[in-house]
Amino acid sequence: MLKYCVRCVMPHTKPDLHFDDEGVCSACRSFEKRTDIDWDVRRAELVTILDRYRSKDGSSWDCIVPVSGGKDSTYQVVRMLQLGMNPLCVTATTCDLSDIGRKNIENIKSLGVDYIEFSPNKKVRAKLNRIGLTQVGDISWPEHVGIFTIPVKAAVQFGVPLIVWGENSQNEYGGPAAASENNVLNRRWLEEFGGLLGMRVSDLVGMEGIERRHLVPYTYPSDDELKQAGVTGIFLGYYIPWDGYSNALIAQASGFSTLSTTIEGSIVNYENLDNHQTGIHDYFKFLKFGFGRATDIACLHLRRGRITRQDAMEMVARHDGKFPWAYLGKPLEQILEPLDLSVEEFVKICDRFTNKKIFKVNARNELIKDRHGNLTKINYDNNE
Ligand SMILES: [Zn+2]
């Protein structure tokens, strides 16, 4: 049985989520604690840190802002400009960039910033997508590594020490720049935050003809290089209250585009717009843990009082974990093409990563699917 938080709609199977004696999840508890935070104090701390790292003579950039082109990164750029910073924006191109994603990247450039886009070798990347999907059930492994390694490499390369990240979902912590000592980014920090998801970069050498030289974009600078450049970072979400929805509103007011309808498997139209592979990524989360993007989004709105738990449950039951026949309008068959996988082979991989304890099976222990290939969870709330 899946056990759900009594306040939000997240199941207990989510990695690193804990439930207390009252059945409330740790994400709801930490949201509750936000009301104790003095945001004016935090904002003043942010201003102090930015002043410390701002280029004194204007000979270099003030900070690096890693940007995907999504609503949060558009928001980060808008905030940095408001705070008088001269950022160098760095994009690690997504694995399968959508048209609307490209449009939003162009929009960030038009906000008035210097901008670099780094695109890792597509052939190698397709192999990494395939290895990630078949070995650990995560097609987005190279993307999740690259969004951390590439901006850090840029910080070293251009000698810009401060990296301004977005939300810190793991820890209530401002980032290394906030620490009075040990404020330089090191390998330990990178490994904690730049999640390698149980597959290390070095493990890949030798797989499908991959050599070390193919993995340069996915490898962090050495501790010595980081120290020499003084590379450090902060999480903006620690200093300014973070809400994806209000970030989207602010981003939209600065030219960010959304879809006219909700995104496949989600309940909103303003996020995860930039990569056609994201539908597969989110679907595997559903297969492994019984929750997908609709659950994530519903919880965020629910905690902020914008919908009731009942509303959230209904939205999740209707939209979460649908078989990803298409994402952002691109058919699955075409999304799988560069990975050299057929839809049939993909379904087999899905079945291999599906947790049969949380989905309905027949008498022969085979997964029950409807005519669209969709699974049914064994329970959608606690008292079923
Ligand atoms: Zn909860």
Side-chain angles (χ1 to χ4, degrees):
M1 289 287 277
L2 284 160
K3 197 174 114 189
Y4 294 87
C5 170
V6 298
R7 273 201 204 161
C8 69
V9 292
M10 193 58 81
H12 74 288
T13 40
K14 182 178 165 128
D16 300 322
L17 189 74
H18 306 285
F19 282 51
D20 66 16
D21 299 341
E22 290 169 53
V24 178
C25 80
S26 45
C28 283
R29 285 298 182 207
S30 77
F31 185 79
E32 206 173 58
K33 277 193 222 125
R34 277 178 144 205
T35 50
D36 304 334
I37 296 168
D38 187 334
W39 291 106
D40 291 336
V41 170
R42 292 264 173 105
R43 200 183 174 89
E45 286 173 30
L46 173 64
V47 168
T48 306
I49 293 169
L50 297 182
D51 282 343
R52 194 187 311 147
Y53 286 94
R54 192 176 279 123
S55 173
K56 301 291 175 291
D57 57 1
S59 62
S60 183
W61 294 280
D62 299 332
C63 63
I64 298 268
V65 181
V67 294
S68 64
K71 67 180 195 327
D72 291 331
S73 54
T74 305
Y75 167 83
Q76 276 161 256
V77 175
V78 170
R79 281 279 182 254
M80 283 300 105
L81 291 173
Q82 276 176 351
L83 290 160
M85 296 293 274
N86 178 31
L88 174 61
C89 298
V90 178
T91 292
T93 315
T94 65
C95 293
D96 191 357
L97 184 65
S98 64
D99 291 343
I100 193 167
R102 170 56 66 199
K103 197 174 166 196
N104 284 327
I105 284 175
E106 295 305 319
N107 181 60
I108 286 187
K109 292 190 200 172
S110 75
L111 295 176
V113 289
D114 288 320
Y115 174 92
I116 295 174
E117 181 170 350
F118 187 93
S119 304
N121 181 328
K122 283 200 172 211
K123 286 186 181 171
V124 172
R125 193 159 191 171
K127 285 183 187 177
L128 295 176
N129 288 136
R130 186 190 159 97
I131 293 169
L133 186 68
T134 55
Q135 309 257 326
V136 291
D138 185 6
I139 192 170
S140 301
W141 187 89
E143 182 157 315
H144 292 156
V145 174
I147 56 172
F148 275 92
T149 52
I150 290 162
V152 174
K153 275 177 136 40
V156 169
Q157 186 82 39
F158 292 98
V160 181
L162 182 67
I163 305 175
V164 179
W165 307 97
E167 191 184 21
N168 177 354
S169 51
Q170 260 103 63
N171 282 31
E172 281 299 307
Y173 163 66
S180 52
E181 44 199 276
N182 291 328
N183 61 356
V184 172
L185 218 73
N186 58 26
R187 186 156 298 273
R188 226 187 63 203
W189 188 92
L190 289 166
E191 278 165 1
E192 186 180 346
F193 290 93
L196 300 182
L197 313 165
M199 193 165 74
R200 284 169 305 164
V201 176
S202 54
D203 296 339
L204 295 161
V205 176
M207 286 185 193
E208 305 207 13
I210 291 173
E211 299 167 33
R212 191 161 176 242
R213 68 193 174 104
H214 294 136
L215 299 170
V216 175
Y218 306 101
T219 312
Y220 288 116
S222 68
D223 277 352
D224 277 351
E225 287 173 301
L226 292 169
K227 215 169 148 186
Q228 210 167 10
V231 178
T232 187
I234 51 169
F235 291 103
L236 205 52
Y238 177 83
Y239 299 98
I240 305 173
W242 196 264
D243 172 22
Y245 183 57
S246 59
N247 290 359
L249 294 178
I250 291 166
Q252 274 178 273
S254 292
F256 176 76
S257 299
T258 59
L259 285 189
S260 55
T261 54
T262 58
I263 297 147
E264 297 93 333
S266 182
I267 53 173
V268 299
N269 67 343
Y270 55 75
E271 55 116 61
N272 281 349
L273 295 168
D274 54 10
N275 181 0
H276 290 292
Q277 294 182 354
T278 303
I280 294 175
H281 170 263
D282 289 343
Y283 185 59
F284 270 71
K285 203 164 76 168
F286 184 73
L287 298 179
K288 290 172 179 176
F289 309 116
F291 75 99
R293 200 62 199 155
T295 297
D296 286 325
I297 303 290
C299 287
L300 296 175
H301 286 293
L302 173 54
R303 284 185 201 118
R304 287 164 177 83
R306 293 195 277 255
I307 50 172
T308 66
R309 189 170 182 277
Q310 185 59 35
D311 292 329
M313 279 298 183
E314 285 173 20
M315 289 174 175
V316 165
R318 192 175 316 150
H319 295 281
D320 219 11
K322 292 284 175 277
F323 186 82
W325 287 111
Y327 194 74
L328 302 171
K330 188 170 182 177
L332 179 62
E333 206 178 345
Q334 284 175 28
I335 298 172
L336 294 172
E337 183 63 38
L339 279 70
D340 200 21
L341 283 176
S342 66
V343 171
E344 205 182 5
E345 287 167 315
F346 174 75
V347 170
K348 281 190 189 133
I349 299 165
C350 291
D351 290 348
R352 189 151 57 78
F353 282 97
T354 303
N355 179 355
K356 284 192 174 176
K357 288 191 203 117
I358 58 177
F359 294 100
K360 291 198 169 153
V361 290
N362 66 20
R364 283 167 298 174
N365 201 35
E366 293 159 346
L367 292 161
I368 298 172
K369 296 176 185 177
D370 71 10
R371 66 194 175 88
H372 302 291
N374 295 318
L375 298 167
T376 308
K377 289 200 275 183
I378 49 169
N379 63 307
Y380 285 78
D381 205 346
N382 290 326
N383 40 21
E384 281 176 29

